[in-house]
Structures are given as C-alpha cells and as structure tokens.
Amino acid sequence: MLLQQGQARDERVDLNLAVTLAGTAGALNAAAFYSVGFFSANMTGNVSTLSDHLAIGQWQSALFYFSIVFAFIFGAGVSTLLINTGRRRQVHGIYAYSVLTEAVLLALLGCADLWLLEAWRTPVVVLGLAFLMGLQNAVVTRISDARVRTTHVSGMATDIGIELGIAFDILRGRDRETDAAHNRSKLRLHLYTIAAFLAGGVLGVVIYQAIAGWLFMVAAGLLFAISLTGISRSRRIAGRKGSSGFASDSAD
C-alpha cells in the first residue's frame, strides 16, 4: 500500500492505507488530547482558537496555537521535500521510507512523553505530534492523489455528504447509473476512514490510560512494520527489474 501511486492504486489498496494510518492517527490524536489537552491535527480548531486569542490580546497563547499550525505545515513541507528528492533520485519505495521516518520520530516523541519534565512535555508532545501528522498527511495525499486523508475528518465528512447526495440522485434517476459504482467506492473509502479514526481514538485513550507514553512506542512499532514491509517489497521489485535488464543486455 506504500508502493503504488495515483491511478495505479485500486480501492483495496486505498482502503488498507486509510484504515491503517487513520486508525493510528486517531489513536495518537485522542491520546494526546487526553494527556495534555490539545489537538495536534485539528487545524480548523487550532486556527479558530488562534483567532480568539489574537482578538482578546492573549499573545502568548496565540503564539502557541500558531506554533501548532506552523508545525503541521512544516511537517507536510518536509515530507514533500523528502518525497520529491526520492523521486528525482528514483528511490524505490520513497513513501515507505517517509513512513519509516515518521516511525523513528514518533518513537523519540514517546521517549519525550515518558521522561521529559512536565514543563517541557506538553509543548514537545503537541508540536512534535503536529509535525508528524502533517508529515503523514502529506505522504498519503501524494501517494493517493488526494483521495485519502488520515489525520483529520472534516473534509471526509463533507465528501460523505456529497456522495450521499449523489447516491440519492442516482436512486431517483436524476444522475447517471454508470456513476453508481464510483460513488459507492468513494463513500466506502470515506466511511471506513472515519470509522477507523474513531475506533483508533477510543482504543488510543484506553491504551494510554494503561501504559501512558508507551502508546507512542506501540504506534511507532506498527509504522515500522508497515514501512519495512514496503521497503522490502520495493527492493524485490527493483531487483527483478534489474535482473530482467541484465538478462536483456546479455542476450543482445
């Protein structure tokens, strides 16, 4: 699910990506909110809160909320630069390497949550997780041609409403029946993503209550497994292509 890109991806691959990473993001976001009281991936809410603090002159709080938004954008920008560099250098599995980077940084963030002094723990966890959510969202956006989002659900909730409206028109015969399969596919993808985000959030809080910051380590381990599987497969594919090219050259 981290190798095929754009139109080469089918519904099953997109569903696997959406459910896995949305569930992970939901767990991390909910657990972080339970722990420190801030959302790291809800940029709509963070920008609204930023505007409130600016309006009433609470500059220090406004700066913190601005930092959350900046960290998310910065994470997406770093992810894009990493992917672009990998694609220019024809690195097979660059998206898997990007998720591996997220896993490493998430493990470090777990260490911060477990062992940093309380005065430092909240800003480091919130800003660090905002950076990672921006990084992850950029990865899935690029690899799926923006069909999949995993770190927030506002856009997908809107898309569900749109697809339900289209489905209603199809049922009434006001829209083309040929669009029905595509409509069902998109609706299924968005519903599964939101359901995974919700279930991940519930599970994340329950696990965080039991093991605290070790939840970040568990999530990092899952991302490690996903990314290493993608890297291994990309190397096998590259090896087969290399062997085929060598055989052709030898035959000539």
Side-chain angles (χ1 to χ4, degrees), residues 77-133:
V78 169
S79 176
T80 299
L81 291 174
L82 178 63
I83 291 168
N84 287 349
T85 300
R87 292 178 65 178
R88 282 194 297 269
R89 296 181 178 180
Q90 298 183 332
V91 176
H92 297 283
I94 184 58
Y95 294 99
Y97 283 107
S98 299
V99 174
L100 179 62
T101 301
E102 181 187 359
V104 172
L105 295 176
L106 183 58
L108 294 175
L109 191 62
C111 293
D113 187 56
L114 286 167
W115 296 303
L116 266 185
L117 294 175
E118 189 63 29
W120 288 97
R121 187 173 72 91
T122 294
V124 169
V125 169
V126 174
L127 298 179
L129 191 56
F131 174 87
L132 292 178
M133 292 298 96

Side-chain angles (χ1 to χ4, degrees), residues 8-247:
R9 300 173 64 83
D10 58 26
E11 181 186 359
R12 179 186 60 82
V13 174
D14 276 346
L15 279 173
N16 287 341
L17 178 71
V19 169
T20 304
L21 294 189
T24 304
L28 294 172
N29 275 286
F33 183 77
Y34 171 81
S35 174
V36 298
F38 292 92
F39 284 116
S40 294
N42 181 11
M43 293 304 108
T44 303
N46 287 326
V47 171
S48 296
T49 307
L50 168 61
S51 65
D52 287 345
H53 287 297
L54 287 174
I56 61 179
Q58 293 182 343
W59 310 116
Q60 187 172 354
S61 296
L63 179 61
F64 184 65
Y65 280 97
F66 173 80
S67 299
I68 297 174
V69 177
F70 178 81
F72 187 92
I73 295 171
F74 185 55
V78 169
S79 176
T80 299
L81 291 174
L82 178 63
I83 291 168
N84 287 349
T85 300
R87 292 178 65 178
R88 282 194 297 269
R89 296 181 178 180
Q90 298 183 332
V91 176
H92 297 283
I94 184 58
Y95 294 99
Y97 283 107
S98 299
V99 174
L100 179 62
T101 301
E102 181 187 359
V104 172
L105 295 176
L106 183 58
L108 294 175
L109 191 62
C111 293
D113 187 56
L114 286 167
W115 296 303
L116 266 185
L117 294 175
E118 189 63 29
W120 288 97
R121 187 173 72 91
T122 294
V124 169
V125 169
V126 174
L127 298 179
L129 191 56
F131 174 87
L132 292 178
M133 292 298 96
L135 187 149
Q136 182 189 118
N137 209 46
V139 170
V140 297
T141 299
R142 294 288 301 278
I143 197 172
S144 69
D145 281 354
R147 289 190 300 274
V148 179
R149 296 285 199 276
T150 59
T151 63
H152 53 279
V153 300
S154 298
M156 285 174 290
T158 303
D159 290 338
I160 287 173
I162 292 171
E163 297 305 328
L164 286 174
I166 293 172
F168 184 64
D169 266 351
I170 291 174
L171 289 174
R172 293 192 304 156
R174 301 291 180 86
D175 214 335
R176 295 178 300 175
E177 185 65 30
T178 53
D179 292 335
H182 183 61
N183 170 254
R184 287 194 298 270
S185 175
K186 291 178 68 176
L187 191 57
R188 185 162 44 242
L189 174 63
H190 298 316
L191 285 172
Y192 274 53
T193 304
I194 291 181
F197 194 91
L198 173 63
V202 173
L203 190 60
V205 172
V206 171
I207 295 175
Y208 192 89
Q209 288 175 328
I211 62 174
W214 291 103
L215 167 68
F216 293 94
M217 304 299 192
V218 172
L222 175 62
L223 295 177
F224 265 118
I226 293 170
S227 60
L228 291 178
T229 299
I231 291 169
S232 176
R233 289 178 178 174
S234 71
R235 287 178 175 177
R236 287 201 299 270
I237 292 171
R240 287 198 297 269
K241 288 181 179 179
S243 298
S244 299
F246 179 76

